[in-house]
């Protein structure tokens, strides 16, 4: 008997629907074969699924279960297919037909049948709605994130047994309701605020103009003048995020696993401050399984680069294209992925290697050649994309 359920796989910041098919045929002992370009985490799901089904007291007959994840040419990654595979396997062990075409299911399973949260649920809910699915079964911890999307019912699932009984109509699970507007308006506060800054009137004026116009900014001044402190407060004077901007930003943080469980929806502008030892892939994005970098995690927010000349010149140069285009395209042999990266760049640097050139209290000990070499670590084309402020 062949059964099927619908799930989704992440590709970049978007999701693509995946059809989970299970074919059951007789054999002397239970065997699970997973096909459809699965990675190691998906292949290992057979052991988690069998243990979870047994712990949930659900019937699974002996025999070979062939699990096909279609489309077969799309790489499947992560443990989010555990729950749909388990439900389809249990359904394939029964004699009566099983139909659930209006539902999208995602979730990782524990050995005891508990359903654990997964990444990228917001993108998956958007894809389910686009495909015309009316119900989404997600881990209970991911329900607030998925409920951000209007026009689709989100059902929080705690364990495999609850999911099966719900689909069979034996129990009722209330759909998760989220008052989007109330939630959106109640989580706009920042930990710090721009009005806490005393003095530095010319710098604050420059920051206000840059924030209002979306300009990039470079602050140059001795240590202790408040460059980092001012930069952290730039998001608090930027225009409030719209709901569309918040959804775009939340999708990126969701697939990166950076969402706070208590705040499953980003309503404040992100502030990212990577260390100067960051790699090209860490800043721009990439890796074996390409993911977003710091420029994308700063989407609709602020990317702060402290001690700008200490960053590798090559690392800084890769930012020129996202600063111009507002997105990053990562190309690999298997294809290319595009991540949004429309951010405000705020950088800070000392005027010289020792930091005290022009300081009225401490004397600079750097030679003119050292100062020139220090400033030449930053290329001219990159400096052309910034407004400079001397403190």
């Amino acid at each position: 008997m062949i059964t099927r359920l619908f799930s989704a796989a992440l590709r970049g910041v978007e999701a693509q629907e995946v059809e989970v098919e299970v074919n059951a045929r007789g054999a002397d002992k239970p065997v699970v074969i997973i096909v459809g370009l699965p990675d190691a985490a998906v292949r290992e799901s057979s052991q988690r699924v069998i243990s979870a089904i047994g712990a949930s007291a659900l019937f699974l007959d002996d025999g070979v279960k062939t699990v096909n994840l279609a489309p077969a040419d799309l790489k499947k990654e992560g443990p989010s297919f555990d729950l749909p595979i388990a439900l389809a396997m249990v359904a394939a062990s029964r004699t009566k037909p099983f139909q659930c075409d209006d539902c999208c299911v995602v979730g990782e399973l524990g050995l005891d049948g508990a359903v654990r949260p997964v990444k990228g649920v917001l993108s998956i809910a958007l894809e389910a709605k686009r495909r015309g699915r009316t119900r989404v079964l997600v881990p209970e911890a991911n329900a607030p994130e998925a409920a951000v999307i209007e026009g689709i019912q989100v059902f929080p699932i705690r364990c495999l047994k609850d999911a099966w009984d719900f689909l069979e109509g034996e129990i009722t699970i209330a759909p998760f309701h989220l008052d989007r507007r109330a939630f959106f308006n109640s989580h706009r506060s920042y930990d710090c605020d721009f009005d806490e800054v005393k003095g530095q009137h010319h710098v604050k004026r420059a920051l206000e103009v840059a924030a209002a116009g979306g300009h990039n900014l470079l602050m140059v001044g001795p240590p202790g003048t408040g460059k980092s402190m001012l930069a952290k407060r730039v998001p608090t004077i930027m225009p409030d995020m719209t709901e569309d901007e918040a959804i775009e930003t939340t999708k990126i943080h969701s697939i990166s696993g950076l969402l706070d469980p208590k705040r499953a929806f980003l309503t404040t502008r992100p502030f990212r401050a990577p260390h100067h030892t960051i790699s090209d892939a860490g800043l721009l994005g990439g890796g074996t399984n390409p993911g977003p970098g710091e420029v994308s995690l700063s989407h609709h927010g602020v990317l702060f680069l402290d001690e700008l000349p200490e960053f590798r010149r090559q690392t800084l140069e890769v930012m020129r294209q996202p600063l111009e285009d507002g997105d990053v395209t990562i190309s690999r042999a298997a294809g290319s992925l595009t991540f949004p990266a429309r951010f405000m760049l705020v950088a800070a640097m000392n005027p010289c290697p020792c930091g005290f050139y022009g300081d009225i209290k401490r004397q600079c000990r750097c030679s003119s050649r050292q100062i020139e070499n220090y400033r030449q670590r930053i290329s001219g084309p990159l400096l052309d994309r910034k407004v400079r402020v001397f403190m």
Side-chain angles (χ1 to χ4, degrees):
M1 182 177 178
I2 297 178
T3 59
R4 70 173 185 175
L5 277 173
F6 292 99
S7 187
L10 296 175
R11 180 171 173 80
V13 295
E14 305 298 334
Q16 183 172 338
E17 186 173 81
V18 172
E19 186 175 336
V20 180
E21 298 176 304
V22 175
N23 179 31
R25 60 185 188 273
D28 296 334
K29 58 181 180 178
V31 178
V32 179
I33 303 172
I34 301 178
V35 297
L37 210 59
D39 71 347
V42 180
R43 289 194 298 270
E44 291 172 354
S45 68
S46 61
Q47 303 302 315
R48 294 191 297 271
V49 164
I50 292 175
S51 176
I53 292 174
S56 302
L58 297 174
F59 174 71
L60 182 67
D61 62 358
D62 291 338
V64 178
K65 303 292 189 298
T66 302
V67 181
N68 179 40
L69 305 176
D73 60 346
L74 174 66
K75 187 173 180 61
K76 318 304 187 302
E77 302 170 353
S80 61
F81 297 102
D82 289 1
L83 183 58
I85 289 175
L87 292 171
M89 285 175 58
V90 172
S93 299
R94 299 161 61 90
T95 56
K96 67 177 186 179
F98 177 81
Q99 194 75 13
C100 192
D101 291 342
D102 66 335
C103 194
C104 176
V105 184
V106 293
E108 178 185 350
L109 287 177
L111 298 181
D112 60 351
V115 179
R116 297 171 177 170
V118 295
K119 300 177 182 178
V121 168
L122 181 59
S123 298
I124 292 171
L126 283 168
E127 173 67 3
K129 180 182 178 181
R130 188 180 72 84
R131 293 280 185 166
R133 313 298 167 200
T134 58
R135 299 184 297 171
V136 179
L137 271 63
V138 301
E140 186 178 38
N142 292 129
E145 179 184 345
V148 169
I149 307 304
E150 291 182 328
I152 192 167
Q153 289 185 308
V154 177
F155 295 92
I157 303 298
R158 293 184 178 181
C159 63
L160 173 60
K161 185 69 165 58
D162 287 352
W164 175 254
D165 290 344
F166 172 72
L167 294 179
E168 286 288 280
E170 297 179 6
I171 65 171
T172 300
I173 298 177
F176 189 91
H177 176 70
L178 178 69
D179 188 340
R180 296 177 63 198
R181 187 164 299 279
F183 182 87
F184 194 79
N185 292 330
S186 64
H187 291 78
R188 287 183 178 271
S189 61
Y190 293 87
D191 295 332
C192 56
D193 199 87
F194 198 72
D195 64 4
E196 298 169 348
V197 181
K198 307 301 179 185
Q200 299 282 21
H201 299 292
H202 67 295
V203 182
K204 289 194 290 186
R205 175 59 178 166
L207 289 172
E208 291 168 0
V209 172
H215 306 299
N216 302 313
L217 194 73
L218 172 63
M219 295 182 285
V220 184
T225 52
K227 301 187 293 295
S228 301
M229 179 266 296
L230 284 162
K232 291 178 182 178
R233 287 160 172 77
V234 171
T236 68
I237 60 172
M238 297 175 71
D240 289 337
M241 293 181 76
T242 64
E243 290 191 19
D244 289 340
E245 289 177 338
I247 290 175
E248 287 181 13
T249 307
T250 302
K251 283 167 57 177
I252 300 171
H253 286 249
S254 177
I255 66 172
S256 301
L258 299 177
L259 279 184
D260 186 347
K262 298 180 181 178
R263 296 178 62 179
F265 188 44
L266 290 180
T267 55
T268 56
R269 297 192 178 272
F271 177 84
R272 305 291 297 182
H275 193 260
H276 63 79
T277 57
I278 190 171
S279 65
D280 297 358
L283 186 63
L284 200 64
T288 306
N289 300 319
E294 292 291 337
V295 295
S296 296
L297 294 171
S298 306
H299 186 54
H300 291 313
V302 173
L303 176 65
F304 177 52
L305 303 183
D306 198 10
E307 303 296 340
L308 187 65
E310 301 300 327
F311 286 80
R312 292 188 302 130
R313 187 184 181 98
Q314 179 183 349
T315 302
L316 294 177
E317 292 303 310
V318 301
M319 287 197 305
R320 289 166 57 178
Q321 182 256 335
L323 283 172
E324 289 287 343
D325 301 336
D327 55 41
V328 175
T329 300
I330 300 172
S331 299
R332 296 290 184 268
S336 61
L337 297 173
T338 300
F339 297 99
R342 194 167 298 279
F343 59 93
M344 176 181 174
L345 176 62
V346 178
M349 62 177 287
N350 295 329
C352 66
C354 76
F356 297 105
Y357 179 74
D359 193 338
I360 59 176
K361 295 183 178 180
R362 297 189 61 174
Q363 182 179 2
C364 173
R365 298 183 179 182
C366 304
S367 66
S368 58
R369 176 117 185 147
Q370 288 176 317
I371 297 174
E372 182 179 357
N373 291 338
Y374 179 74
R375 296 182 177 180
Q376 285 182 349
R377 295 181 187 178
I378 308 170
S379 67
L382 191 63
L383 284 175
D384 290 340
R385 289 164 171 81
K386 295 190 185 73
V387 177
R388 274 156 283 182
V389 179
F390 293 89
M391 305 177 70

